């Protein structure tokens, strides 16, 4: 079975609908006929300052949410990145293979460091995509299900894999990004030209663990566009297009069918229907997550089993890498 791998950062109390529709839903679907590795990227989280207590708590909340969503620990290795030392170890080797200018071209660093000023940003934030390449290449996956914002990191990953393979010996598989066009980028409900994100937060973000009533209210107050017609048009009607995308993803109705169904109806109807669809997803999801959080020993057992599965694969890959690079074996 082809392998899939992906990761998510534990940098908020809850995942949001961008994470869910852009990536996590595909994780759940791909489990069935792939060999999956899914992890919580706590090493990536500390590229910006984190409170240690909060980070630990959010990591467990992340695990609970993955399980509540339908990631099945009997099929998938679910693990915490920092528990597998090979990520940081391969990250170093790849750091030494990456050009400074090449790293500098990564747009996410430009965006994130612009907020704090480049001088204040950590070196970890700068090498973030290279650690991500290590995360991926260690497991030799065929596919990496992510949202559009990760595409550039996947390109770097493939470049580094190719460089290593040609400089030393074929070691890594070139992974394919698995990005669903329809939901690759979910937008904020208020700032309709920005992607919904953990760091943006605000009232335009749909958090999976928010009180469903708050969520419904947020959707009903989503920014819409001038005019009255309900039609998918990213340029002219970004707010409505985003709502149609969310509707379609949850109801399974193609956007064209929805456009027909809403002929002659108002924006309020669309928002009400989206709110209803979202609420009927988040209500049981939230209950299940909270239930799982009550049983921390189960969660840590799942993560331990995941780390054992992942660790065996990571160790074997790193051994090959160290040997090929010219390191003397320890034993
Ligand atoms: P993170 O934690 O920011 O997001 C997790 C996943 O959610 C996707 N996503 C979105 N998709 C559509 N619309 C949105 N508004 C939206 N917001 C987030 C992201 O594309 C991602 O797939 N660097 C990664 C974590 C990571 C990783 C990896 C991923 C570390 N190592 C190795 C894959 C493979 C990140 O910060 O994702």
């Amino acid at each position: 079975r082809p392998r899939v791998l992906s990761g998510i950062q534990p940098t908020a109390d809850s995942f949001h609908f961008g994470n869910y529709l852009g990536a996590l839903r595909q994780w759940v679907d791909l489990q069935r006929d792939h060999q999956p590795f899914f992890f919580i990227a706590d090493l990536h989280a500390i590229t910006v300052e984190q409170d240690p207590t909060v980070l630990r708590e959010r990591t467990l909340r992340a695990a609970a949410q993955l399980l509540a969503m339908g990631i099945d620990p009997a099929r998938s290795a679910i693990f915490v990145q920092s528990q597998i030392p090979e990520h940081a170890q391969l990250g170093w080797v790849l750091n030494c293979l990456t050009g400074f200018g090449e790293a500098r071209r990564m747009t996410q660093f430009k965006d994130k460091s612009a907020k704090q000023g480049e001088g204040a940003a950590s070196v970890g934030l700068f090498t973030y995509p290279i650690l991500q390449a290590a995360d991926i290449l260690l497991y030799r996956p065929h596919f990496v299900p992510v949202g559009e914002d990760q595409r550039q990191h996947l390109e770097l990953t493939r470049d580094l894999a190719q460089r290593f393979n040609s400089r030393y010996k074929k070691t890594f598989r070139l992974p394919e990004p698995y990005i669903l066009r329809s939901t690759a980028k979910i937008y904020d409900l208020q700032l309709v030209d920005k992607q919904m994100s953990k760091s943006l937060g605000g009232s335009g973000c749909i958090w999976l663990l928010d009180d469903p009533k708050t969520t419904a209210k947020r959707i009903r107050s989503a920014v819409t566009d001038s005019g009255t017609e309900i039609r998918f048009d990213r340029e002219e009607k970004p707010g409505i297009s985003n709502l149609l995308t969310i509707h379609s993803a949850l109801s399974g109705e193609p956007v064209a069918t929805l456009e027909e169904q809403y002929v002659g109806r108002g924006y309020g109807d669309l928002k009400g229907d989206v709110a209803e669809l979202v609420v009927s997803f988040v209500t049981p999801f939230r209950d299940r997550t909270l239930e799982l959080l009550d049983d921390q020993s189960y969660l840590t057992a799942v993560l331990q089993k995941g780390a054992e599965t992942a660790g065996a694969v990571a160790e074997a890959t790193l051994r090959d890498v160290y040997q090929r690079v010219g390191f003397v074996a320890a034993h």
Side-chain angles (χ1 to χ4, degrees), residues 40 59-69 285 288-290 292-293 299:
I40 302 160
T59 301
L60 289 176
R61 284 172 83 89
Q65 290 176 83
L66 293 179
L67 296 174
M69 195 163 279
F285 169 79
R288 180 82 188 116
T289 302
L290 298 179
L292 283 157
L293 278 171
L299 287 179

Side-chain angles (χ1 to χ4, degrees), residues 5-11 15-24 27 39 41 44 81 108 112 128 131-133 135-136 144-150 153-154 183-188 194-198:
L5 168 132
S6 199
I8 186 161
Q9 294 194 72
T11 44
F15 299 149
H16 57 67
F17 246 74
N19 300 136
Y20 176 60
L21 295 180
L24 301 174
W27 296 17
F39 67 94
H44 280 105
Q81 185 186 28
Q108 207 160 63
K112 290 192 176 174
Y128 178 119
L131 178 60
Q132 181 164 348
D135 298 337
I136 297 170
V144 183
V146 286
E148 182 61 39
D149 63 336
Q150 300 300 312
H153 293 165
L154 263 293
T183 52
K185 189 167 178 181
I186 301 297
Y187 293 83
D188 189 87
K194 295 227 161 42
Q195 87 161 2
M196 190 178 284
S197 80
K198 299 191 196 100

Side-chain angles (χ1 to χ4, degrees), residues 220 230 265-273:
R220 285 202 205 90
I230 295 177
R265 297 169 66 197
Y267 288 169
D269 286 351
L270 173 63
K271 289 192 206 176
D273 292 347

